């Protein structure tokens, strides 16, 4: 199993691109030391094609690009296509289930690009077929001066694409047409002012939303008839104390328990507290906070790869690899705010932003 990492410039997000960042490779998830195999400007998000040896890369630039890589030789990936996305600071990619459409979320310009793909996995045209913008703002002036599309997902049932808009505290709704293009369809959910929705995990008819600005993990119930989501619960994303003045929720991931004969678990990374929180998911979807473990400095993104949980320390310039069994077996906290230290392997990597398996 080979891992590919996308990285920011060594000085971090928002600094000039093209200063040594790119695609890095780790030979195995249990040994996450990585070496750069391709120089690219600010490749902050990666997603693999489900059947072809292709990886799509979002380069988070003022004039963003999607780069398509041939990864038949992961140690020497080859660029086979580059497409300007039309927006600023692409930060997330969503691939349609039939792998014929790629959706690109732009943080700074707040829009969503729609890129049709051919059967060969490559962009069909030299520009996106759609660039869907939005308007609005929120009460946190320095972060919510306008729309910020942070991620996109398919709503339960697959008939709509939802965009988590950190700037407007909304889940924007788009109807999916037969050709993968989108029809703007209003707002599916409005979160409390200043929430800052960032990423979403789906479990049945429930949406679990990490809110970067007010540090709440919110549960929304999807209604397929009205194509709206109603907030039914909220809990703090962690009880661990902040280690810095900044505190930002980041990634959320559902780990199903079917294969283990156990209950589902929800994992949430919280930067500033520098932990991953562990929540037990009841059969009906209710969350119970179990505890948190030390995930390194500024854990932006993490992924379950085989029997390991791999975490990128964006500001620690390292990767950590935990045994998934240790993570899922985290004991309940003995005191409020306790942070557990789990055993891990580690390796150096400059400003890791995303990791996938190829």
């Amino acid at each position: 199993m080979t891992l590919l990492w996308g990285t920011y410039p060594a000085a971090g997000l928002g600094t000039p691109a093209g200063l040594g960042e790119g695609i890095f490779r780790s030979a195995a998830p249990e040994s996450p030391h990585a070496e750069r195999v391709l120089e690219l400007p600010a490749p902050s998000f990666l997603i693999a094609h489900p059947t072809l040896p292709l990886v799509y890369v979002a380069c988070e630039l003022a004039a963003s690009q999607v780069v398509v890589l041939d990864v038949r030789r992961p140690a020497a990936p080859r660029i086979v296509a580059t497409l300007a996305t039309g927006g600023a600071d692409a930060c997330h990619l969503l691939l349609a289930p039939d792998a014929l459409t790629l959706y690109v979320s732009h943080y700074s310009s707040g829009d969503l690009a729609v890129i049709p793909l051919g059967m060969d996995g490559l962009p069909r045209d030299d520009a996106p077929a759609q660039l869907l913008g939005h308007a609005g703002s929120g009460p946190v002036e320095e972060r919510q001066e306008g729309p910020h599309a942070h991620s996109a997902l398919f709503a339960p049932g697959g008939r709509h694409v939802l965009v988590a808009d950190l700037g407007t505290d909304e889940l924007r709704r788009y109807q999916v047409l037969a050709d993968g293009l989108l029809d703007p369809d209003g707002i599916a959910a409005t979160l409390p002012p200043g929430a800052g929705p960032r990423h979403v995990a789906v479990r049945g008819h429930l949406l679990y939303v990490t809110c970067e600005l007010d540090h709440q993990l919110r549960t929304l119930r999807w209604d397929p008839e009205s194509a709206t989501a109603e907030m039914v619960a909220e809990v703090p994303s962690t009880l661990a104390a902040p280690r810095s003045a900044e505190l930002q929720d980041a990634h959320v991931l559902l780990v199903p328990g079917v294969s283990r004969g156990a209950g589902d678990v929800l994992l949430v990374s919280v930067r500033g507290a520098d932990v991953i929180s562990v929540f037990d998911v009841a059969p009906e979807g209710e969350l119970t906070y179990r505890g948190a473990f030390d995930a390194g400095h500024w854990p932006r993104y993490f992924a379950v790869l085989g029997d390991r949980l791999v975490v990128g320390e964006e500001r620690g310039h390292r990767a950590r690899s935990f045994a998934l069994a240790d993570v899922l077996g985290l004991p309940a906290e003995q005191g409020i705010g306790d942070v557990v230290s789990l055993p891990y392997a580690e390796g150096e990597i400059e400003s890791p932003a995303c990791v996938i398996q190829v």
Side-chain angles (χ1 to χ4, degrees), residues 111-183:
D111 38 37
L112 183 72
V114 181
I115 302 174
L117 304 173
M119 295 299 295
D120 60 0
L122 302 181
R124 286 169 41 191
D125 303 300
D126 57 4
Q130 293 177 296
L131 190 63
L132 302 166
H134 192 55
S137 60
V140 183
E141 295 181 359
E142 66 274 19
R143 297 293 309 279
Q144 294 186 308
E145 76 292 347
H148 294 303
H150 218 310
S151 64
L153 68 145
F154 283 95
R159 296 189 298 111
H160 296 86
V161 165
L162 304 180
V163 172
D165 194 320
L166 183 145
T168 66
D169 296 318
E170 296 167 330
L171 296 185
R172 294 150 45 183
R173 181 179 59 213
Y174 298 91
Q175 185 178 359
V176 181
L177 305 179
D179 56 3
L181 299 183
L182 301 179
D183 185 16

Side-chain angles (χ1 to χ4, degrees), residues 215-217 235-242 247-249 268-279 289 291-293 333 336-339:
H215 324 304
Q216 297 291 308
L217 175 61
V235 294
S237 55
T238 190
L239 300 181
L247 189 65
Q248 298 179 10
D249 291 14
V268 179
S269 59
V270 184
R271 299 166 295 179
D274 290 348
V275 298
I276 290 180
S277 296
V278 178
F279 292 85
Y289 182 77
F293 64 94
E333 62 177 1
I336 295 176
D338 282 354
V339 175

